[in-house]
Amino acid sequence: MTATELMPLTAYTPKEVAGMFGMASDRWLRDGVRAGKYPCLRMAKNAIRFTAEHVQEIRKMHEEMQRQKPALKHDPYDLFGAVKSKTGNRTKKS
């Protein structure tokens, strides 16, 4: 292959990539590209394509997001909508 020849490039549409992730809609992917969160090839204003490397990077981004979420600490008062007493357990003095 000479320097002027291009290697064939496999590029996926947003709908194909969303399908790879098991998502019915590609809206989340398009919104992420628009916000600058996800890498892509932009062939024209609305022609977005993804290489295999882009898909792997997006997958890794979501794995890291899941790992970085802090564990939720539940307050027992929040479970049933109870209101915390400001005075604590003190009884009223007469």
Side-chain angles (χ1 to χ4, degrees):
M1 183 179 292
T2 65
T4 56
E5 291 181 75
L6 292 176
M7 291 178 47
L9 176 69
T10 302
Y12 304 99
T13 65
K15 192 163 213 60
E16 290 172 326
V17 174
M20 290 177 195
F21 287 107
M23 306 297 283
S25 172
D26 64 350
R27 179 69 184 248
W28 64 274
L29 192 56
R30 289 182 177 278
D31 288 346
V33 167
R34 201 171 296 117
K37 289 174 31 177
Y38 300 135
C40 71
L41 295 172
R42 191 174 290 275
M43 308 310 273
K45 184 177 180 182
N46 291 320
I48 301 167
R49 299 293 181 265
F50 300 91
T51 64
E53 291 80 18
H54 293 146
V55 174
Q56 290 299 323
E57 190 171 337
I58 293 168
R59 182 186 59 82
K60 286 179 184 177
M61 292 167 86
H62 283 277
E63 283 178 0
E64 291 171 5
M65 287 179 190
Q66 292 297 318
R67 278 189 249 133
Q68 291 176 359
K69 283 186 179 177
L72 295 177
K73 294 181 181 177
H74 294 288
D75 187 346
Y77 289 99
D78 292 336
L79 292 175
F80 303 104
V83 178
K84 292 181 185 178
S85 169
K86 291 182 181 180
T87 59
N89 291 332
R90 288 187 260 160
T91 57
K92 196 176 199 181
K93 291 185 181 180
S94 15

